[in-house]
């Protein structure tokens, strides 16, 4: 048997062609996949198919073999006729040789019946004589030649095996362990594929059939595919992996273009989900792995592009799973060299126009360790904030001291990740961590008794599914205590109530009054949550149900309600009384004084002075990110509760100090984003950057002499500065693979704050001098802090 029994045509599994073709499908995988033509030539159509990892996995699943009879498999094509002719000539030559041997003895004597010939079915097969003990007391001496055989699993790209090698199973080698591997084929699910473009009226093709990459209409298009990695056991070795993308549309592909298509892997820590992502989020996400680049001649409709992942990339994927990553994103981008529009699309496997060949990541995974490895932990120091200075003079003195120390003995030791102690635990995780540190019995939430048999069955099936996919649950300790909820003070209706409570508590403590009673270590402070209002009618209830169903289908099932939530139902405010209609004529004697209207918050058109010389930044992931503030003078942080403050602060980033000019981003004829400067209100602008890759995030210095910006021209995102006329460009940061983004100037123009993923992998605020020197972490945080704005 020379060809793989699992190879067939896409529309008929019982037929294969004698030559490699994209129409072939591998039915040894579930679902069937499209092997590359190189893979077919090296494996599927020759005897080496027995070394293919997909064949080995399929044979193991079928119970050791798959019989293929004459009526079950038919080959067609010119190759079949050639093969038949070769076989006829071989039979005639063999008959002539054996006839000559009988007459002239030109061949060695036949092997005695007590010697068995075993031909190893390996990439370097060798015929080996293995002696069988003879009953005769006298036997001719024989020499046993050891045979070097391959293990049952051979990684991709082996040496091709001659088609004359017999189809005999390779015996295992003594002392060499057999690798039990399983095949895992990952394909994206709904919400895990899409394309984006860079136009002002942003186009997003989430769940579209086409995965576009290229330049069209002076706009750049890119695509992304999200693979769920939960089927890969944590700690299991990844023996081989292949990425497959099938071409779907080439009608806008310029065959004369010097295009370059790039495929990159983005870790979950950089981009967790494609739902809610925009062009810049996908485009600027750091990608530490870049696969083989494609040229225009490599692309075509129904053409399968494959990438065999290198060992270093396999180790990177293993490390991602060890660190708890549940997904990886493949980003597809393209660039052109002054060749105009060129656009290509791969098949997403979703939508009405798909050809049914989704992106696939086919892996051969070894056995997982007996015990799942623990997730990585981060060491934190428990530290308190430096007390705020009493006045401005103290703040200036502290700054002068820090400057003197930096100039004489060097900068301060960078602050490691730390957490500040809180008087009361705010959640169950804090309580459990405190119990572990104190050596006390663990705090475990009791599992409620199922309300009925259906619930009990569902819980048992869920536990079985978890055990099969990710391992058994962590056993519950034999000695533990359950947490209990301590209700907090009722929520204040306004800020005045909060201030009044603080003043009252301070006065009581200063007067020697009682302080709070220490709580047991398993107490958790409750959190008040406003109850969802009852729908006013059936239509509203149906709309809420439809919205909840859509959210569940898009984002997954809702998170369970935390046990320490305390649901409160607010007292509805009385409905306002109807305002009497003003009559068309009011006599003078009927005039009444106009009541003073209730004061409403005034939103200014520019940032108030009390909010200047502060650093605003965003904390957390969108759309739930919050705006925070950092005071460089006092080193204090706080939460901003007014949504209009941050947009007002951002307005100054791109404007000149006199407010007459602005810097903005505009794409050139090649689709590359460049910086332009123009007078506000004018349609004419001048280009001040000319990199081969995008430049963005501009920020004009308060002194007016520099414009800081970000560019990925070196391959990753780095910070530069350029003069407003574009005559001088200087690079300020230089990383290996890390990236820096979103510069913002200090009010005096001497320093720049930006955010970066250096050191800890999370986005943190960093600071440097205007010339790029003195780069250091500004605010060590356990959260993702990004998009800083230094107000002025």
């Amino acid at each position: 048997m020379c060809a793989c029994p699992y190879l067939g045509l896409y529309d008929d599994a019982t037929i294969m062609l004698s030559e490699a073709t994209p129409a072939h499908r591998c039915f040894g995988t579930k679902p069937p996949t499209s092997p590359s033509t190189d893979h077919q030539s090296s494996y599927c159509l020759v005897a080496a198919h027995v070394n293919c990892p997909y064949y080995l996995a399929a044979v193991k699943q079928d119970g050791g073999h798959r019989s293929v009879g004459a009526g079950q498999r038919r080959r067609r094509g010119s190759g079949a006729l050639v093969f038949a002719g070769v076989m006829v000539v071989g039979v005639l030559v063999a008959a002539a040789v054996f006839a000559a041997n009988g007459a002239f003895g030109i061949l060695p004597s036949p092997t005695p019946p007590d010697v068995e010939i075993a031909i190893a079915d390996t990439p370097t097969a060798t015929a080996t004589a293995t002696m069988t003990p003879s009953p005769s007391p006298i036997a001719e001496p024989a020499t046993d030649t050891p045979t070097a055989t391959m293990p049952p699993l051979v990684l991709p790209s082996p040496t091709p095996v001659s088609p004359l090698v017999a189809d005999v199973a390779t015996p295992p080698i003594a002392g060499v362990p057999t690798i039990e591997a399983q095949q895992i084929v990952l394909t994206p699910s709904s919400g895990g594929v899409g394309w984006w473009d860079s136009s002002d009226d942003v186009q997003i093709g989430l769940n579209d059939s086409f995965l576009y990459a290229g330049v069209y209409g002076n706009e750049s298009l890119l695509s992304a595919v999200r693979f769920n990695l939960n089927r890969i056991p944590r700690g299991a070795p990844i023996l081989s992996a292949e990425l497959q993308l099938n071409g779907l549309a080439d009608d806008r592909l310029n065959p004369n273009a010097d295009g370059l298509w790039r495929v990159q892997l983005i870790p979950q820590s950089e981009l967790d989900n494609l739902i809610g992502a925009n062009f810049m989020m996908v485009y600027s996400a750091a990608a530490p792995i870049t696969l083989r680049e494609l040229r225009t001649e490599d692309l075509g409709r129904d053409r399968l592009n494959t990438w065999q992942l290198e060992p270093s990339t396999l180790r990177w994927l293993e490390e991602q799973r060890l660190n708890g990553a549940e997904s990886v994103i493949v980003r597809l981008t393209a660039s052109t060299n002054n060749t105009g529009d060129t656009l290509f699309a791969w098949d997403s496997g979703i939508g009405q126009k798909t050809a049914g060949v989704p992106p696939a990541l086919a892996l051969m995974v070894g056995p997982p360790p007996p015990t799942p490895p623990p997730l990585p932990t981060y060491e934190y120091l428990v530290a308190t904030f430096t007390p705020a200075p009493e006045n401005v003079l103290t703040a200036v003195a502290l700054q002068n001291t820090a400057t003197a120390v930096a100039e004489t003995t060097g900068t301060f030791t960078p602050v490691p990740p730390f957490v500040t102690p809180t008087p009361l635990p705010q959640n169950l995780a804090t309580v459990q961590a405190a119990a572990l540190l104190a050596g006390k019995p663990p705090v475990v939430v009791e599992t409620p008794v199922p309300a009925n048999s259906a619930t009990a069955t569902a819980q048992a099936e869920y536990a079985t599914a978890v055990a099969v996919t990710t391992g058994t649950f962590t056993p519950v300790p034999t000695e533990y205590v359950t947490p209990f909820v301590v209700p907090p003070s009722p929520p204040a209706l306004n800020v005045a109530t909060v201030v009044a409570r603080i003043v009252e508590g301070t006065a009581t403590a200063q007067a020697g009054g009682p302080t709070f009673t220490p709580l047991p270590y398993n107490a958790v402070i409750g959190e008040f949550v406003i109850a969802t209002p009852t729908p006013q009618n059936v239509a509203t209830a149906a709309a809420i149900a439809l919205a909840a169903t859509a959210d569940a289908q898009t984002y997954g099932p809702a998170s369970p309600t935390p046990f320490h939530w305390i649901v409160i139902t607010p007292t509805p405010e009385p409905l306002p009384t109807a305002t009497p209609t003003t009559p068309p004529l009011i006599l003078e004697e009927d005039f009444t004084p106009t009541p003073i209207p209730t004061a409403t918050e005034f939103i200014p058109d520019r940032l108030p002075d009390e909010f200047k010389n502060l650093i605003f930044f965003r904390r957390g992931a969108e759309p739930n990110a919050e705006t925070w503030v950092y005071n460089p003078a006092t080193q204090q942080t706080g939460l901003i509760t007014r949504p209009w403050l941050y947009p007002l602060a951002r307005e100054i980033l791109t404007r000149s100090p006199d407010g007459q000019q602005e810097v903005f981003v505009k794409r050139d004829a090649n689709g590359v984003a460049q910086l332009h400067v123009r007078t506000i209100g004018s349609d004419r602008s001048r280009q001040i950057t000319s990199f081969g890759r995008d430049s963005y995030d501009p920020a004009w210095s308060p002194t007016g002499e520099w414009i800081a910006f970000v560019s990925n021209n070196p391959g990753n995102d780095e910070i530069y500065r350029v003069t407003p006329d574009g005559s001088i460009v200087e690079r300020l940061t230089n990383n290996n693979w890390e990236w820096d983004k979103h510069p913002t100037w200090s009010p005096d123009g001497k320093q720049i704050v930006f955010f970066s993923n250096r050191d800890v992998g999370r986005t943190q605020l960093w600071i440097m001098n205007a010339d790029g020197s003195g780069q250091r972490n500004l605010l060590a945080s356990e959260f993702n802090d990004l998009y800083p704005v230094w107000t002025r």
Side-chain angles (χ1 to χ4, degrees), residues 276-290:
N278 55 35
F279 177 86
M280 286 307 302
M281 291 174 62
V282 180
Y283 179 81
S284 61
I289 302 296
T290 299

Side-chain angles (χ1 to χ4, degrees), residues 49 100 229 301 338 638 685 745:
H49 70 268
L229 302 179
R301 178 180 174 86
N338 300 319
S685 64
W745 295 85

Side-chain angles (χ1 to χ4, degrees), residues 481-570:
V481 296
T482 58
F484 68 94
V485 178
V486 177
S489 300
L493 296 179
N494 48 52
V495 178
T497 304
V498 175
V499 174
R501 289 178 179 176
I502 296 175
V503 172
E504 181 182 2
T506 303
T508 301
Q510 291 177 347
T515 57
F516 69 92
T517 303
L519 297 175
Y521 79 95
N522 59 328
V524 179
I525 302 301
E527 180 181 353
F528 287 114
V529 178
I530 305 299
T532 303
T534 303
Q536 299 297 319
N537 49 52
V538 177
T540 304
I544 294 175
L546 288 175
T549 302
D551 288 343
Q553 293 176 347
T554 305
Y555 304 105
S559 302
T561 302
F563 87 103
H564 66 289
W565 277 12
I566 302 175
V567 181
I568 57 176
T569 303

Side-chain angles (χ1 to χ4, degrees), residues 247-304:
L248 184 61
D250 57 2
D251 52 317
R252 284 177 280 188
L253 183 65
N254 184 357
N256 300 319
D258 185 18
L260 185 67
W261 279 260
R262 184 174 292 107
V263 180
Q264 297 174 302
L265 304 186
I266 302 175
Q268 182 182 359
S269 58
E270 295 296 333
L271 186 58
D272 183 22
N273 210 321
L274 298 181
I275 298 175
N278 55 35
F279 177 86
M280 286 307 302
M281 291 174 62
V282 180
Y283 179 81
S284 61
I289 302 296
T290 299
L291 304 182
R292 184 187 77 255
E293 296 175 336
L294 300 177
R295 294 286 183 177
T296 304
E297 57 268 20
D298 299 324
L299 306 175
R301 178 180 174 86
D302 295 328
R303 183 169 183 175
L304 188 70

Side-chain angles (χ1 to χ4, degrees), residues 760-772:
V760 296
R762 297 186 304 276
T763 53
Q764 301 283 278
L765 299 189
W766 283 67
I767 191 171
M768 62 180 172
N769 297 326
D771 60 357

Side-chain angles (χ1 to χ4, degrees), residues 213 221-227 243 245 260-268 270-271 274 281-294 307 309 313 316-317 327-335 346 361 693 712-717 736-737 739:
L221 290 90
L222 58 81
S223 295
V225 180
R226 181 180 183 272
F227 291 108
L243 176 65
L245 296 174
L260 185 67
W261 279 260
R262 184 174 292 107
V263 180
Q264 297 174 302
L265 304 186
I266 302 175
Q268 182 182 359
E270 295 296 333
L271 186 58
L274 298 181
M281 291 174 62
V282 180
Y283 179 81
S284 61
I289 302 296
T290 299
L291 304 182
R292 184 187 77 255
E293 296 175 336
L294 300 177
W307 292 262
L309 303 192
T313 305
W316 179 81
L317 282 174
S327 64
V328 66
I329 288 178
V330 176
R331 180 174 61 200
L332 311 172
T333 59
S335 60
W346 286 276
L361 183 60
R693 296 186 179 181
N712 57 14
N713 192 61
N716 58 325
D717 298 276
N736 293 324
W737 62 268
W739 45 257

Side-chain angles (χ1 to χ4, degrees), residues 631-688:
N631 191 332
T634 64
Q635 300 182 5
Q636 290 179 305
T637 59
L639 177 66
I640 295 179
T641 60
R642 294 295 185 268
W644 50 268
L645 282 172
Y646 186 74
L648 280 180
R650 285 184 62 108
E651 289 181 357
I652 63 172
L653 288 180
T654 58
R655 294 184 179 178
S656 60
D658 59 5
Q660 301 300 313
Q661 299 182 82
E662 65 177 348
V663 57
F664 63 99
V665 178
K666 180 180 179 181
R667 295 194 174 272
D668 58 19
N670 300 322
V672 179
Q674 307 287 359
L675 299 189
H676 288 248
V677 172
R678 68 183 173 192
T679 301
I680 295 179
S682 173
D683 295 332
R684 302 181 61 183
S685 64
R686 65 180 183 277
Q687 181 176 326
I688 61 174

